[in-house]
Amino acid sequence: MSVILYGLAATIVTMMAIGFYVAKKVNGDSINYIVAGRGLILPLAAATLMAQSLDSNATLGNTDLAAGFGFWAGAALPVGLALCLFLTGLFFAKPMNRLNLTTLPDFYRRKYGRTAEIVASIIMSVAYAFLLAGNLVAGGYLFQIFVGTSFQLGVFIIAGLVLAYTVAGGLFSVAYTDVLQAGVAFIGSIALIVYVTTNYGITIPSGMGPTNLGQLTDPSQGAYINLATIVALGLGDIVAIDFMERVFAADSPETAQKACFIGAAGTLIIGVPFSVVALSANPILASLGVEAGNQAVLYTLLQNAVPPWLAALVLAGIVAASFSTSDGAILGTSAVIARNIGNIRVDEESTASPAAAADGGVDEGFFGSESDKLLTVTRLMSVPITLLGVFLAIRVSATGMLLVLAFDIMLAGAFVPLVMGLYWSDIATTPAALGSMIAGSATRLVLFVMVPTTYAYENTLLYIPNDIFTAAFDGLPTFIAAAVGLVAFLVIAFVTKDDYPIYSVEKQSNPNIVAGGEED
């Protein structure tokens, strides 16, 4: 245990040191803080995109689901996330990078107007509270098992550490620490599967292996849930605020696209081995006379079945992953609340002072530098966002479910208006976007509170007992809510396309322009 503790301590200290060291690059400028000055080169952009998908939600959720329900239940997480990166590289990275956006809701503002911007921001902020919570859950269990704290204290510790360097360095801190996270995760993943294969062999319980496609076709084997997971992550993650923040931060459209493709490959290379190892976890633990109990199966395996140096390496990757997506979630959500809900803008075209707020105000910032108003408010909003994540982490302690639910929410409410606004712009009206966002989100909310389980986990957050929906319905809400959003958009669009003006995001070069041509 001492080796593991030293390894965890070294990882945390290194992450904090990197995060604080690169914080000086912010230089009081909110654009530096939120999108790293739009200057991430390919290695940084690829590492930060891959790290965003290989968070501790995906790692622990992957292994727990694969061990409990079969290969595809766990592998659906890395497969869905890799699919998202691949589709983004094909269809979204270049056009979205060219738009010179700061946050994803800026797109909805330019295309559909201020009201759509606010609605999209609320949907994304709610979703990201769940994503942040899932990563804090993984960190809380890690501290409980390997450090000896309570689960709740572990959640508070990791939340406080991540908050500290995120407030300091923004996306610069996120991107540079992601390089460490991606490297450690890659080495740890490969080393773990090699060790398990060499020393224990791969034991696949009957009906749970990758060749059992019933897990993708038979509802009684969880097909609805597994397919819903792939779809929610593959499409819903495209409208993830921290994910697109990284796309905006790439130094060119070509860099953004290449980074997505590299990230997709890396996600599969690192993520799928964890699914394979998880299949053998229970047989290995049984042969050692160990019961996993209620603990994360990967943690139990590392604690009992592998040498300390390997456990320390894999855990270093997990704690770094927890830091990685937690900081991105805090940063992205805080920026959306400050910029898109609070309507605090900066003059990004000004050459006089990069730290001059649009209203002329400059606040005395952190670390002795001046900060523009958007930067100051974004930093301040990080605190309540983190506290909300802590509350949800303690209330719903299920990593994989929280990950998928976050992107499920965004798929239902925000995906269709983005795609239509980019690729079917001539019918993409403001009423269509608003109708789609409200109908899709409302449908998902209603089904969430009416179905007793969410992605095979008991709904302990908000469930209304009823005789209409049973656990057999689990997984279908993902498809139903997305379909409702799509149908609502198309119907309203065709009804209103001749009565409402159509705005093009590509023709609006000023980042502060609202749909309709008016400038704040």
Side-chain angles (χ1 to χ4, degrees), residues 41 54 59 72 74 88 91 116 186 188 239 247 301 323 351-352 365 377 388 402 417 429 516:
I41 59 175
L54 287 168
T59 304
W72 287 105
T88 301
F91 301 112
F186 177 80
V239 282
V247 171
L301 188 71
F323 274 52
T351 56
V377 176
L388 177 59
L402 289 169
T429 64

Side-chain angles (χ1 to χ4, degrees), residues 78-93 234 238 243 257 259-265 267-268:
V79 169
L81 292 165
L83 176 63
C84 166
L85 285 163
F86 180 73
L87 292 176
T88 301
L90 280 182
F91 301 112
F92 297 97
I238 292 173
F243 175 64
Q257 182 180 60
C260 285
F261 291 144
I262 294 171
T267 298
L268 288 176

Side-chain angles (χ1 to χ4, degrees), residues 470-501:
T470 66
F473 198 76
D474 195 358
L476 291 178
T478 296
F479 302 101
I480 294 172
V484 168
L486 176 60
V487 171
F489 189 100
L490 293 175
V491 170
I492 298 173
F494 279 107
V495 170
T496 61
K497 63 184 177 66
D498 296 326
D499 300 321
Y500 283 84

Side-chain angles (χ1 to χ4, degrees), residues 62 71 189-190 192-193 267-278:
N62 178 357
F71 174 83
S189 172
I190 301 302
L192 180 62
I193 193 169
T267 298
L268 288 176
I269 292 171
I270 297 174
V272 172
F274 279 110
S275 304
V276 176
V277 168

Side-chain angles (χ1 to χ4, degrees), residues 62 71-81 225-227 229-230 233 275:
N62 178 357
F71 174 83
W72 287 105
L77 297 176
V79 169
L81 292 165
I225 297 173
N226 296 339
L227 291 174
T229 298
I230 294 173
L233 296 177
S275 304

Side-chain angles (χ1 to χ4, degrees), residues 12 24 54 74 87 89 122 125 151 171 176 179 226 273 282 312 328 334 353 367 373 391 452 485 490 506 513:
I12 292 172
K24 61 185 180 182
L54 287 168
L87 292 176
I122 293 172
S125 298
F151 168 75
L171 194 63
Y176 279 84
V179 173
N226 296 339
N282 287 325
S334 301
S353 172
F367 312 110
K373 187 175 182 180
F391 168 77
L490 293 175
E506 291 85 356
I513 291 288

